[in-house]
Amino acid sequence: MKRVVVIGAGIGGLTAAARLAQAGLDVTVLESHIYPGGCAGTFFHQGYRFDAGATLAGGFAPGGPMARVAEELSLDGWPAHPAEPAMLVHDESGAPIARWADKRRWAARESAFGHAGGAFWRWQERTADALWDLALRNPPWPPQTLREGAQLVHTGLQWLMDAPTARVRPALIADALRPASVHLRAAGPRLRRFVDAQLLIAAQATSQQTVALYAAAALDLPRRGVVHLEGGMGAIAESLARSVRDHGGQVLLRHRATRIALERGRPVAVELRRGQLIDADIVIANLPPANIAALLGEEGAAALQLRRRPPHDGWGAFMTYLGVDEDLLPPDLPLHHQILKHEGLAEGASVFLSISPAWDAGRAPEGARALTLSTHTALGPWWELAAADRSGYEARKQAYMERMIDAAEQALPGLRDAILLALPGTPLTFQRFTQRLEGWVGGFPQTHLFRARGPRLAPDLWLVGDSIFPGQSTAAVALGGLRVARQLLADLGLQRVGSGASRRLEFESAVR
């Protein structure tokens, strides 16, 4: 029996672990923290359960990514309640813009952006359907073996062909090579800013940099089934961890990996902080590439050409966790909001706000609710200030928290007076609790086709998470986890890698 060690209990790693345990492999998941989920975990503090990083759960529509994960892992489902609308977007140009999943989305867009935006949204939805179709086929992108190359050609040609006409769809090829901004040339400034703000959340770059094909799918999140999870985002990881254990695997919390031991280029063990060795025939690292480089050491990292730092254009997050008096919140208020304050989209100019549901009593003490605020922030200034001027670092942290609360009051007037608890979090906080080097979160900005790495790093050493296709979001990394498990099982002769035609038919039926 092959011994598989998964380093990191994020969504991608747990999905791969659950599928491999289901297939009969000896699976052990090592997690340094006290709960699973990583950036999609939920932590407990003074009676509140706060979502640590990710707060918006998408991909739960019938036939969609999370439904597929549940089916493939034989889960009973997810503790999910549909969210409609998915969010409200507040800017300084008019009434808030509701992001609906159903037909109401067209009236909301026309009201906010006028008739000129119709062509853009028709392109976006048509192209998103095509890319989600491709993602659900689990293409091996980028291909790393001859077999994967042949599979990619076969899958890609099938995908590119328009079934009614049997002709290649050239627009999809063009959108894989150009930025999304080409589709916004006729758009007004409000639509452009709206799209840029949404893309920074979902693709880590604006329309001027994001590949059009990826942008179309990233903007499609509300249509893919946004939900609220009972117990918070961490409920996804808890469900996956139970699946691992139910199939005979282990999920070991408070077990921090410090080294991957290699012999002749293959992993043989994972060393823990206290020196304990966990024997391994296969290692799957649910970590950013820079963290894997640190576990392999100078020689191993150089051999695999792994960068030892986050990408120069990678982002961090500044978080503010609030406990508030529930009397502040109207009963029919949507629970996700994006607030755009002024020029720029980072450092508090765009703030994402999520509120725990009133029906989820376990998320906050009686009479209170849990709120999470987040904004993109550059990594370097926080680390430089913390090293050179600790008091300056603390002052900057307080100033950012005040700035975010001011922004959130645009969606929740009177918020400041209703605050019962306030906790800030910087990139240093993210490194401390998630172990992600320098607090880099969100994955690679999707600026070209080759930002995603191949998952096979070396013989029997695999990468999973937001650094491989299809990228970030809980739904995307879960699909990536299935992809890695499928490829690994195929290597072992335990599963045939197919085209996923039946899954594609289910998907197409669900989105019609």
Side-chain angles (χ1 to χ4, degrees):
M1 183 183 293
K2 291 288 185 179
R3 298 165 299 182
V4 180
V5 174
V6 180
I7 304 175
I11 302 303
L14 286 170
T15 301
R19 180 66 189 91
L20 296 173
Q22 182 187 54
L25 278 68
D26 180 357
V27 177
T28 300
V29 181
L30 305 175
E31 171 56 50
S32 64
H33 207 15
I34 61 174
Y35 58 81
C39 291
T42 301
F43 70 90
F44 185 85
H45 184 80
Q46 294 187 15
Y48 294 90
R49 290 182 60 84
F50 292 110
D51 288 335
T55 60
L56 193 148
F60 289 82
M66 298 308 292
R68 177 175 179 178
V69 170
E71 179 186 356
E72 189 148 342
L73 299 180
S74 301
L75 302 179
D76 292 333
W78 306 100
H81 300 246
E84 194 69 282
M87 71 181 77
L88 290 184
V89 180
H90 307 256
D91 61 16
E92 298 171 341
S93 301
I97 306 162
R99 297 219 63 193
W100 300 94
D102 59 25
K103 292 181 179 179
R104 287 173 286 185
R105 66 187 183 274
W106 292 103
R109 292 164 178 170
E110 184 171 339
S111 175
F113 310 120
H115 293 292
F120 172 80
W121 293 113
R122 285 190 293 273
W123 163 80
Q124 179 270 314
E125 292 195 3
R126 180 176 64 250
T127 308
D129 286 347
L131 188 60
W132 278 113
D133 172 22
L134 177 63
L136 288 171
R137 297 173 192 241
N138 267 298
W141 180 259
Q144 296 180 282
T145 66
L146 289 176
R147 183 183 68 191
E148 290 175 10
Q151 181 195 347
L152 182 65
V153 170
H154 176 73
T155 302
L157 287 176
Q158 281 188 328
W159 174 70
L160 283 170
M161 296 295 287
D162 179 56
T165 65
R167 294 179 179 175
V168 173
R169 295 179 285 184
L172 295 177
I173 299 174
D175 280 337
L177 302 172
R178 61 188 178 186
S181 56
V182 301
H183 295 283
L184 289 165
R185 289 169 179 164
R190 191 182 194 197
L191 177 56
R192 287 196 299 270
R193 181 161 171 76
F194 174 89
V195 169
D196 283 346
Q198 293 276 297
L199 285 179
L200 191 61
I201 293 174
Q204 305 301 313
T206 63
S207 62
Q208 290 78 24
Q209 295 89 35
T210 304
V211 173
L213 197 61
Y214 192 96
L219 291 168
D220 209 50
L221 191 60
R223 277 207 309 150
R224 301 299 153 190
V226 171
V227 299
H228 301 298
L229 291 151
E230 185 173 353
M233 289 291 290
I236 301 173
E238 294 288 354
S239 295
L240 293 169
R242 280 195 299 273
S243 179
V244 175
R245 294 181 177 119
D246 288 346
H247 288 103
Q250 299 183 86
V251 180
L252 304 179
L253 305 177
R254 302 177 189 265
H255 282 64
R256 181 178 175 182
T258 57
R259 184 173 68 95
I260 299 172
L262 302 177
E263 288 184 6
R264 299 179 182 177
R266 293 177 179 269
V268 294
V270 175
E271 184 174 349
L272 303 182
R273 179 167 47 187
R274 295 182 180 178
Q276 180 184 0
L277 286 176
I278 307 292
D279 292 335
D281 301 303
I282 298 166
V283 171
I284 301 173
N286 189 182
L287 301 168
N291 287 74
I292 301 172
L295 294 180
L296 292 171
E298 291 287 349
E299 185 176 341
L304 298 181
Q305 298 182 327
L306 289 173
R307 289 173 52 93
R308 299 184 64 84
R309 296 284 306 278
H312 70 278
D313 55 352
W315 288 100
F318 184 91
M319 310 293 298
T320 298
Y321 307 102
L322 299 176
V324 303
D325 189 325
E326 68 176 358
D327 290 340
L328 171 74
L329 307 169
D332 58 348
L333 182 73
L335 301 182
H336 296 299
H337 300 257
Q338 185 179 30
I339 303 105
L340 310 179
K341 289 299 292 181
H342 48 76
E343 288 302 315
L345 293 171
E347 316 301 345
S350 172
V351 172
F352 198 80
L353 161 65
S354 294
I355 308 166
S356 67
W359 48 261
D360 198 352
R363 293 286 305 278
E366 185 176 356
R369 302 275 281 281
L371 274 66
T372 302
L373 310 178
S374 62
T375 189
H376 283 69
T377 189
L379 295 169
W382 291 102
W383 289 94
E384 292 161 8
L385 194 59
D389 180 4
R390 195 67 193 191
S391 62
Y393 167 82
E394 295 296 334
R396 189 177 199 241
K397 184 164 63 173
Q398 186 66 30
Y400 267 59
M401 185 166 66
E402 296 297 323
R403 184 185 307 171
M404 293 177 72
I405 293 170
D406 286 343
E409 285 207 305
Q410 184 173 331
L412 298 175
L415 169 63
R416 187 175 294 279
D417 294 334
I419 293 174
L420 306 173
L421 173 73
L423 297 170
T426 74
L428 279 73
T429 315
F430 266 92
Q431 177 175 282
R432 177 184 174 192
F433 287 104
T434 71
Q435 304 301 316
R436 293 181 67 108
L437 195 64
E438 297 184 24
W440 172 45
V441 295
F444 291 104
Q446 296 300 308
T447 55
H448 58 76
L449 286 178
F450 295 96
R451 285 318 290 270
R453 290 190 62 104
R456 186 185 283 100
L457 297 177
D460 299 322
L461 178 60
W462 296 79
L463 167 66
V464 74
D466 54 21
S467 298
I468 69 168
F469 181 84
Q472 63 170 316
S473 84
T474 51
V477 297
L479 282 182
L482 285 183
R483 170 195 175 186
V484 166
R486 183 174 289 108
Q487 289 181 272
L488 198 158
L489 291 172
D491 284 355
L492 297 174
L494 298 176
Q495 176 171 293
R496 179 177 176 270
V497 180
S499 66
S502 62
R503 307 284 187 184
R504 185 170 69 259
L505 291 175
E506 294 171 8
F507 167 77
E508 291 170 348
S509 174
V511 299
R512 283 194 183 107

